[in-house]
Amino acid sequence: MSFYITTSISYVNGQPHLGHAYEAIATDVLARHHRQRSDDTFFLTGTDEHGEPVADAAKANGYEPREWADLNAEKFKALLPELGVEPDFFIRTSDPQHEQKVQDVLQRVYDNGYVYKGTYTGWYCPRCADFKVENEILEGNRCPIHEIELTKENEENYFFKLSAFQSQLEALFAENQGFVGPPRARNEAEAFLAGGLQDVSLTRAKLTWGVQVPWDHSHVFYVWFDALLNYYTALSYARANADLTERYWPASVHMIGKDILKFHTIYWPALLLAAGLEPPKGVFVHGFLQGADGRKMSKSLGNGLDPLDVTERFGADALRFFLLREVQFGSDGPVGMDAVANRYSAELANDYGNLASRTLAMIARYRDSDVSSRATDPELAAEFTGLPATVSAALDAVDLTGGLDQIWQRVRRLNRYVEEQRPWELARDEAAAARLDTVLASLHEGVRSLSVLLYPFIPAATAKVLAALGTPDTDYSAAAFGTHAAATARVEKIPPLFPKEPD
Ligand code: MSP
């Protein structure tokens, strides 16, 4: 099965922030999970470089748009390894191959009769790069997202006949119940659709920083159409000697934030249909992370959380784990450094890190690092039955927090098992040798299977644990408790996975 997942592409008008990190991490978890399942996986991310938001920021900073984009795209690219995020390709919308393909596809939309020349009169937000329709506007003609005053635009543009796709989009929503998740986002998209679609500007004559319109060189494409097409164009040139379009299109999941829902759930499928292409299979809308005070993160409030501050202090695994555990994925929620520190010590260091270290240390000490006995405790095994299927079902529904919680309940169960069985007492009693074998084999197998399941969330720590257990395989077929059939495994002790912070 092929699995093609994307993040939205980031505007290069500012610095990468926690919102970008959040989306990249969530997408990376799903990509790693599908790779584990041996799905033919492709994970795309990148930068959105054209249009007003970038041109304005470049000008304000005294740069040409291209120089500005080059400078900032590097920062977005450099963030990814700091987060343990491993995409298969990083697209920049200023790539010449992207631009060429945008022209090809939109020329097809034109040739298919979905483009006409008209005059746009209405409200426009330069920060969103969005032409707002009347019911999207706050009192005083302000942007509902940026709260700034909108500008009244009056310009001659080419329009895309979005209205022609009303019934096709209704059918798409009806036929594909999973098209937009979670349900709240789906309702919002359906409400927008029910309001009746109006045609939208496809080109702009006022800007030069964009992809030139092939049938009229005095226009560039409106940045949103250029940007949305990245998901399609990237496949044609991500690999030097292969066009991956057939292999991966249509996309399985576009991961986006709630502020860009209309573009992805309405404009995007309509544009693809207009070009004779298949719409994506799914769009998942994650929530917004807020400051610890529950307010919108902002420089002036000083309530932001910088992803690199977290990774420097606690590591990439800790940031990944924290973000997906602290806030139900798909909802908004507050985050802050104190909460990171709490989960780091209570959950990563104590629950998982200690469990792994203790298991390895006890096998080293009581069995000279050898767990040749594979007989595990049937009662404990029963509590793990079906866990891989439960976790993959949660992840298929993009319930990252729910899947992680299922795993964590078993991490806690194994800690209770240690306390119940007291292997250190069994070790003192020769008559209990067989029982100790079973307890140690059960712990080895429990930690191993949980580490395979946790691998997409905390890849660095789990890889260390699995190597130390003598079972480095992260394949999902090895995720069930009891699948490790090798007759012997030699373990190695490891230093603390999540060390205490120096006082
Ligand atoms: N360039 C457009 C997307 C084009 S996709 C064809 C864009 N870029 S952005 O840089 O402004 O936002 C990138 C992503 O970050 C969006 O999905 C947005 O919702 C998300 N987030 C921005 N702030 C966020 C939080 N505070 N919390 C979580 N995600 C947020 O929009």
Side-chain angles (χ1 to χ4, degrees), residues 333-374:
V335 293
M337 199 56 114
D338 289 347
V340 179
N342 288 339
R343 287 212 186 260
Y344 177 83
S345 72
E347 299 193 320
L348 286 176
N350 280 348
D351 290 350
Y352 178 69
N354 265 350
L355 173 71
S357 303
R358 273 172 116 182
T359 298
L360 293 164
M362 289 191 291
I363 297 170
R365 179 148 173 217
Y366 305 138
R367 288 293 178 267
D368 194 21
S369 297
D370 174 15
V371 267
S372 3
S373 158
R374 302 303 316 163

Side-chain angles (χ1 to χ4, degrees), residues 91 123 155 240 264 292 294 429 476 497:
I91 187 171
W123 299 105
E155 59 181 44
H264 284 82
D429 176 3
Y476 215 67
L497 286 169

Side-chain angles (χ1 to χ4, degrees), residues 8-11 17 20 23 48 231 257 259-260 286-289:
S8 72
I9 48 173
S10 316
Y11 282 132
H17 57 61
H20 299 117
E23 194 169 295
D48 184 357
Y231 304 129
D259 53 333
I260 55 178
H286 61 74
F288 263 51
L289 299 175

